[in-house]
Amino acid sequence: MPKIGNGLDAVTAFAGAAAAGMSLFLPFTFGIGSTLESPYRVTSLVNSVPRAAALGLIVAVVVAVLIRPITRPGLVWLVATGAAAASGVNYALGLWMTSADVLSTQNYIDALTGGVLLGSLGICALRLWWAAIGFALGIVTVFVYGEVVAVFSSNTAATAQTAVHTPIWLIGGACVLLAANTLRHRHGFMPTPSPRLAADLPISPIVSITVLSLSLLLATEWLGLEFDGRRNNFGSIAVAVTVTVVAAFIAAVLLPGRDGAAVLVAVSLAAAGDALGDAEALGPHLVLVLAIGAAAILAGLRWATPWGALLGVGAVCVFAALADRLPWSIAWTSGVVLLTAATGFAAGSVRVTYLPSAVLGIGALYLPSVLWSIPTRHRQWPTSSTPVDEGTPGRVALAITISAAAALMLLYRIRPATPAPAGPDPTTPPDP
């Protein structure tokens, strides 16, 4: 069992990861006094959310690379605290903004502060055993929440006020916990030996995430323009899937050793999650997500393998393709359970030789997927296109997963096996 200090680390990492994930993955809040029935506002969110997520994740990896050599953990926790506080200020200002013109700008600011929080928190949390588990659970919870809960309650602008966003109590709680942990670690010292790898190592994760983010974003937006549910879109979908897998493989190869395996798993998971339907709220299922997520993370730490993670992702894809044959309530609950288990196991299975690679691999869950551009009746993302058959997204996600498995096999052939750390950063001994 963790000591009190270790428990504080875990809770803080969970709250910080959840706040950072929501800033990257969910749209910015609507102002209290704003005009709600505004198509422009909805369109602004639809366009800016995936772009902000891609930009925020690039910032997260840059911050992780810059912070990795720091040997004073208190300073890293302080950076995370400042990022959370900046996110809170942006949120508070957004509550009272009445102009739709600043909505996209504030959404980008929210994603940038979330990226700084994710990158800095990832470095300090993944160095410690219990904090690493809390960090992973926060990432998994937000990812599942964002995938199975509708961002909008319908496709009309009239209900745009129901858009989900980072709750102010979560930001405030994360700030308090991060400040407390900053004080707790203010006199700490954590030696960080330079990895015995290529001299250009620090730049490789930045190039990798830039290639991956921009490629997925362009593929998603291009497919959104090309897609038409009233005709055969096989060619357009095939191009988008190819771009996704090729970009993920290039990003994986750019990372040192076999660190890129996490990227291929994350891209597949993002597609599988987007293939599931949306409900209006998570409700009591949140407890289920937390319990299953924690158990799956521990299982991943114990039996780490990217092949097992991809097998779980494939199961989610097959289920998504067949879920329309089940009653909606059963299908949605089963999808939540499967997605949580697969994501938790994948997060626990992450093994890297360079810590910023872990931030990239875990954060890649929040990148846009080409599945965003394929509308169905049960996924409430505003779109003007005609909904397709409910099984189509599952089949597309399965194609991405199978292709990612083939890319993983190729990566393993060109990269020799090296001993990889389990869980937290191996340069730091686990907490007693």
Side-chain angles (χ1 to χ4, degrees):
M1 294 297 293
K3 298 178 180 179
I4 294 178
N6 296 333
L8 177 62
D9 287 341
V11 173
T12 302
F14 172 83
M22 285 192 166
S23 295
L24 289 170
F25 205 35
L26 299 176
F28 193 67
T29 179
F30 287 98
I32 294 176
S34 61
T35 302
L36 297 175
E37 297 186 11
S38 169
Y40 174 76
R41 296 176 66 80
V42 178
T43 302
S44 295
L45 284 182
V46 173
N47 291 333
S48 66
V49 168
R51 297 174 186 176
L55 177 61
L57 190 55
I58 293 175
V59 171
V61 175
V62 171
V63 170
V65 169
L66 295 177
I67 284 181
R68 175 65 178 87
I70 295 177
T71 58
R72 295 289 181 180
L75 180 58
V76 183
W77 286 102
L78 180 61
V79 173
T81 304
S87 179
V89 170
N90 185 51
Y91 180 92
L93 292 174
L95 287 176
W96 302 101
M97 289 291 182
T98 59
S99 172
D101 295 331
V102 299
L103 179 63
S104 295
T105 300
Q106 288 189 293
N107 192 56
Y108 284 117
I109 295 174
D110 191 42
L112 289 174
T113 56
V116 176
L117 177 56
L118 180 68
S120 55
L121 181 63
I123 293 299
C124 51
L126 292 175
R127 288 170 168 173
L128 305 170
W129 182 262
W130 290 104
I133 294 175
F135 180 79
L137 184 58
I139 294 291
V140 170
T141 302
V142 172
F143 173 73
V144 173
Y145 178 85
E147 295 290 6
V148 301
V149 175
V151 174
F152 296 92
S153 61
S154 77
N155 288 342
T156 64
T159 55
Q161 70 269 28
T162 62
V164 293
H165 50 74
T166 312
I168 188 62
W169 58 264
L170 178 59
I171 301 176
C175 287
V176 172
L177 290 169
L178 288 166
N181 247 29
T182 299
L183 293 175
R184 171 172 135 75
H185 292 283
R186 67 187 184 279
H187 298 307
F189 178 80
M190 189 170 292
T192 310
S194 300
R196 297 186 297 273
L197 294 168
D200 62 341
L201 174 64
I203 197 66
S204 60
I206 299 175
V207 177
S208 176
I209 188 57
T210 302
V211 170
L212 182 65
S213 297
L214 295 182
S215 298
L216 295 186
L217 181 61
L218 290 174
T220 301
E221 294 190 349
W222 175 82
L223 184 59
L225 295 174
E226 292 289 320
F227 194 88
D228 184 354
R230 294 170 295 182
R231 61 181 175 83
N232 188 348
N233 300 273
F234 177 80
S236 299
I237 293 175
V239 171
V241 169
T242 301
V243 171
T244 296
V245 177
V246 170
F249 178 72
I250 293 174
V253 171
L254 287 171
L255 294 177
R258 293 183 170 183
D259 290 4
V263 175
L264 295 169
V265 173
V267 169
S268 302
L269 259 174
D274 285 334
L276 298 173
D278 295 334
E280 292 186 0
L282 197 57
H285 289 84
L286 177 60
V287 177
L288 193 64
V289 169
L290 291 173
I292 295 177
I297 290 170
L298 294 175
L301 289 170
R302 177 64 178 83
W303 299 288
T305 167
W307 299 112
L310 283 174
L311 184 62
V313 176
V316 176
C317 297
V318 172
F319 176 82
L322 303 176
D324 61 318
R325 303 180 184 183
L326 299 173
W328 167 246
S329 59
I330 296 177
W332 186 78
T333 301
S334 301
V336 171
V337 171
L338 283 174
L339 182 62
T340 303
T343 308
F345 186 85
S349 296
V350 172
R351 297 293 185 271
V352 297
T353 56
Y354 184 53
L355 203 54
S357 299
V359 175
L360 192 164
I362 294 176
L365 291 171
Y366 299 145
L367 287 175
S369 163
V370 295
L371 273 295
W372 284 19
S373 301
I374 304 178
T376 69
R377 293 182 297 107
H378 294 309
R379 292 188 303 125
Q380 305 295 328
W381 188 257
T383 176
S384 59
S385 185
T386 304
V388 299
D389 174 76
E390 293 298 322
T392 299
R395 292 189 290 270
V396 175
L398 183 60
I400 292 176
T401 303
I402 294 174
S403 301
L408 182 61
M409 292 180 62
L410 180 58
L411 176 67
Y412 275 23
R413 286 184 64 88
I414 64 178
R415 291 288 171 83
T418 55
D425 187 357
T427 61
T428 303
D431 296 326

